[in-house]
């Protein structure tokens, strides 16, 4: 018997979830409990010693969250995953497992603004030092590597402008230097890009966005690709030195190709504490069941909106790699044949004032600081999220005074376009 | 005999049958060190109701987790269903030959994660044994019962059938369940 791996849409509905063993409930129950009873004292000891699989306390693991973890691991083609309270918490736990004080990591300059803040400022308290590289010049990643570098961090589709990153080229540099490549796959989701297939070692998600997809729950997920050889590298003591908290276990020896995910759970999540509420896990899981359908519609709508804007008299430029003339179109054809995502930016000829006017004129688009909702969303970064930066800094961050970011929803495309058209008329 | 087993990819049904039928396991290369992987597996197999005989010449006569350790497979006083080998690929060949020479050979030879010896496997298969290589029975039991899913691990299985609870009546122990294998 030759068996066949289930397809993406089947995994989106089923992976990690089976009828509840005690009640037969078919939907995944919300296990809204802090703790789980032990079968006996020996069982408790086995669980605390990581010798048995099982549930102890929801800060370390929860059966609802576990379904979400396995679902995302399956969709990404990873070995294991960990769900946490937010995308930022997921990023934090990844670096906590990889970096010692004084270490460096290389990150693309084109990232979600919150990640730029986190790396530039908060991480300084831990003496974790970011070195920035330019994804439009892949060799800049190699030049940024020093003997202290422990990881490389990129976004598959970069927020805010929707640019597509050459993951395979950056992975080649990471492999040459023996570094794990971390890819934030939030804006692509595994439906559009599966970064492990292009050489990523660790994937991070803000599940808040397209995975959950309905703008109702904050969450984050870390996925272990199982590809990085921690023991051979010897540079990641968190995984390869005996852990006193667990009687001297070496996580990379005991847990093999899912050791990274286990490390972020049993050391990171357990000790730092950003646990995901099981209710949020349930909401995100329900969202993921329709991920393929939603992404298809998001991308189709985004392309129509980008085409409309690209010929509009008041629009100076549109940055959407799905458009044939876009500078990222070749990368889009390689990495996102099913669609180039639904988050992108465009520039208004009328500059800052036109941006402010546009977000106040729209009626269907919601003016807010999120992406990846069923609803269409709009923001003028220069007057909101990037307000505190100088004009020069704004331009580097892709948030110049004329820039507007859209997250195109799954409404009727004609209505989305009509709303923009009317608002542009008033600008 | 059906088609030869593909040792790069075992169907779930093949592993499920082996782990469901075995009752008595000899563990060659068992360690008394509580943080070694073999100790974890021994403890887990005992928890799930298997009878396990550790084999380690250096510890013969001592006990690990209440099980008497034997110096060789031949010294175990009863026939075993499966030999689980925690040795490197080269040493595994000698263990396989030792198993095949037993008055009642085992039904299954299992080599641990990262251990693979195709010549030894072929000898065992010719003698009618089933062989699993480069796998861990704890992980496979966890996958096929879905217990491993509690740790966020990708079990690479999907199923619309619930996992049975084990007769032990314990909460956090599940039996092996049927899984969807879309066969071509
Ligand atoms: C690409 C990307 N990564 C990470 C985050 C942070 O995620 P969260 O808001 O869930 O903490 C966001 C949020 O906007 C994002 O867009």
């Amino acid at each position: 018997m030759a068996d066949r791996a289930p397809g993406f849409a089947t995994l989106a509905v089923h992976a990690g979830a089976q009828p509840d063993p005690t009640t037969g409930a078919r939907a995944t129950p919300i296990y809204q409990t802090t703790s789980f009873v032990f079968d006996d004292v020996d069982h408790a000891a086995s669980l605390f010693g990581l010798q048995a699989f099982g549930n102890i306390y929801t800060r370390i693991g929860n059966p609802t969250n576990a379904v979400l973890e396995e679902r995302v691991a399956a969709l990404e083609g990873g070995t294991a995953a960990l769900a946490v309270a937010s995308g930022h918490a997921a990023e934090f736990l990844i670096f906590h497992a990889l970096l010692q004080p004084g270490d460096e990591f290389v990150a693309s300059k084109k990232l979600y603004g919150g990640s730029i803040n986190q790396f530039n400022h908060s991480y300084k308290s831990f003496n974790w030092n970011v070195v920035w590289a330019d994804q439009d010049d892949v060799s800049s990643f190699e030049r940024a590597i020093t003997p202290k570098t422990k990881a490389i961090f990129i976004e598959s589709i970069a927020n805010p402008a929707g640019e597509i990153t050459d993951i395979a080229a950056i992975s080649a540099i990471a492999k040459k230097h023996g570094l794990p490549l971390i890819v934030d796959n939030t804006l692509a989701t595994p439906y559009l890009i599966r970064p492990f297939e292009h050489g990523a070692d660790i994937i991070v998600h803000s599940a808040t966005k397209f995975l959950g997809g309905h703008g109702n729950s904050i969450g984050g997920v870390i996925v272990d690709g199982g590809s990085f050889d921690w023991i051979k590298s010897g540079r990641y003591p968190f995984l390869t030195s005996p852990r006193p908290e667990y009687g001297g276990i070496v996580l990379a020896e005991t847990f093999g190709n899912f050791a990274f995910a286990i490390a972020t759970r049993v050391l990171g999540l357990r000790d730092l504490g950003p646990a995901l509420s099981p209710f949020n896990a349930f909401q995100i899981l329900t969202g993921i069941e329709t991920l393929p359908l939603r992404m298809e519609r998001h991308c189709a709508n985004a392309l129509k909106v980008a085409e409309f804007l690209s010929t509009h008299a008041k629009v100076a430029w549109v940055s959407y790699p799905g458009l044939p003339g876009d500078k990222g179109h070749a990368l889009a054809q390689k990495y996102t044949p099913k669609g180039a995502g639904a988050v992108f930016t465009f520039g208004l000829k009328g500059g800052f004032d036109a941006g402010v006017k546009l977000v106040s004129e729209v009626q269907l688009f919601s003016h807010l600081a999120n992406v990846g909702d069923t609803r269409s969303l709009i923001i003028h970064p220069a007057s909101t999220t990037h307000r505190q930066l100088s004009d020069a800094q704004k331009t580097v961050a892709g948030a110049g005074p004329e820039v507007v970011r859209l997250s195109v929803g799954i409404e009727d495309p004609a209505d989305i376009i009509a709303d923009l058209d009317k608002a542009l008329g008033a600008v | 005999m059906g088609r030869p087993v593909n040792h790069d990819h075992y169907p779930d049904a093949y592993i499920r049958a082996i782990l469901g039928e075995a009752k008595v396991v000899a563990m060659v290369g068992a360690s008394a060190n509580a943080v070694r992987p073999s100790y974890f597996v021994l403890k887990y197999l005992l928890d799930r109701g298997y009878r396990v005989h550790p084999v380690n010449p250096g510890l013969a006569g001592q006990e690990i987790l209440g099980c008497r350790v034997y110096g060789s497979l031949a010294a175990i006083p009863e026939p075993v269903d499966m030999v689980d080998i925690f040795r490197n690929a080269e040493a595994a060949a000698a263990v396989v030959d030792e198993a095949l020479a037993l008055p009642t050979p085992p039904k299954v030879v299992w080599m641990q994660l990262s251990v693979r010896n195709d010549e030894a496997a072929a000898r065992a298969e010719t003698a009618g044994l089933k062989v699993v290589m480069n796998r861990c029975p704890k992980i496979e039991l966890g996958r096929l019962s879905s217990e491993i899913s509690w740790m966020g691990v990708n079990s690479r299985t999907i199923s619309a059938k619930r996992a049975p609870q084990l007769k032990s009546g314990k909460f956090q122990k599940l039996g092996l369940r049927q899984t969807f294998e879309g066969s071509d």
Side-chain angles (χ1 to χ4, degrees), chain B residues 64-87:
Chain B
I64 304 176
L65 289 164
C67 304
R68 188 195 158 98
V69 184
Y70 296 96
S72 66
L73 285 175
I76 299 173
E78 64 172 335
V80 301
D81 299 314
M82 173 166 125
V83 176
D84 182 15
I85 306 175
F86 272 91
R87 304 289 309 277

Side-chain angles (χ1 to χ4, degrees), chain A residues 316-334:
Chain A
W317 51 265
V318 177
S319 159
Y320 184 64
L323 290 175
D326 192 87
K327 74 173 165 49
H329 191 60
L331 286 173
Q333 284 179 307
K334 169 169 180 188

Side-chain angles (χ1 to χ4, degrees), chain A residues 1-4 18-19 21 37 39 46 50-51 53-55 66 69-70 78-81 247 249 253-254 265, chain B residues 9 35-36 40 43 138 146-147 149-155 158 160 162 165 170-172 177 181-184:
Chain A
M1 186 179 75
D3 62 1
R4 195 169 51 83
Q18 58 183 343
V37 293
D39 288 332
S46 294
L50 306 179
Q51 293 161 333
F53 308 117
N55 300 297
E69 290 159 352
E70 185 172 2
T79 54
I249 286 180
E253 272 179 12
T254 308
R265 178 191 304 280
Chain B
H9 181 88
V35 302
R36 298 300 304 161
F40 276 48
K43 188 160 198 296
K138 179 180 175 189
S146 78
E147 283 183 10
S149 303
W150 287 326
M151 309 300 291
V153 173
N154 184 359
S155 70
I158 57 174
R162 66 179 183 173
Q165 298 211 278
K170 292 179 173 178
F171 291 113
Q172 301 201 25
R177 76 213 201 287
E181 295 190 84
S183 49
D184 287 329

Side-chain angles (χ1 to χ4, degrees), chain A residues 85-89 91 111-112 115 155 157 159 184 186-187 205-209 218-220 369-371 405:
Chain A
S86 67
H88 264 5
E91 293 168 73
L111 296 181
Y112 163 58
S115 297
E155 287 178 6
I157 296 184
N159 197 348
D184 181 332
T186 298
L187 295 197
H205 278 282
S206 168
T208 314
K209 318 298 182 202
I218 301 271
N370 190 30
V371 296
R405 185 188 71 188

Side-chain angles (χ1 to χ4, degrees), chain A residues 141-301:
Chain A
F141 282 84
E142 184 146 33
R143 290 196 299 278
I145 294 169
T146 76
K148 291 181 182 167
T149 308
K150 289 287 182 70
I152 297 180
F153 185 97
I154 58 176
E155 287 178 6
S156 53
I157 296 184
N159 197 348
E163 285 171 67
I164 292 166
T165 308
D166 193 347
I167 303 170
I170 297 171
S171 158
I173 294 169
K175 288 202 170 32
K176 180 171 157 201
H177 292 271
L179 299 168
L181 175 64
I182 308 159
V183 176
D184 181 332
N185 202 30
T186 298
L187 295 197
T189 82
Y191 178 74
L192 296 179
I193 303 181
R194 303 200 342 144
F196 292 141
E197 293 170 0
H198 305 289
D201 299 293
I202 296 163
I203 291 172
V204 61
H205 278 282
S206 168
T208 314
K209 318 298 182 202
F210 291 100
L211 284 184
H214 294 71
N216 58 24
S217 303
I218 301 271
V221 182
I222 298 164
V223 192
D224 188 344
S227 48
F228 195 82
D229 191 337
W230 309 103
I231 294 174
K232 187 171 150 218
S233 160
R235 296 181 68 219
Y236 301 89
F238 209 72
L239 285 125
T240 58
S241 61
R243 296 307 309 190
E245 325 65 336
Y246 290 106
I249 286 180
V250 173
L251 292 173
E253 272 179 12
T254 308
F255 295 102
N257 69 358
F258 50 90
F260 184 78
I262 295 288
T264 56
R265 178 191 304 280
V266 304
L267 298 172
L269 184 58
R270 187 197 69 163
D271 292 352
L272 303 174
L276 178 68
S277 151
F279 181 72
N280 279 18
F282 173 81
Q283 296 277 61
I284 295 164
L285 263 176
T286 305
I288 290 176
E289 293 184 10
T290 56
L291 179 69
L293 298 172
R294 287 186 291 105
M295 290 311 289
E296 219 176 288
R297 179 65 173 256
H298 275 296
C299 291
N301 284 1

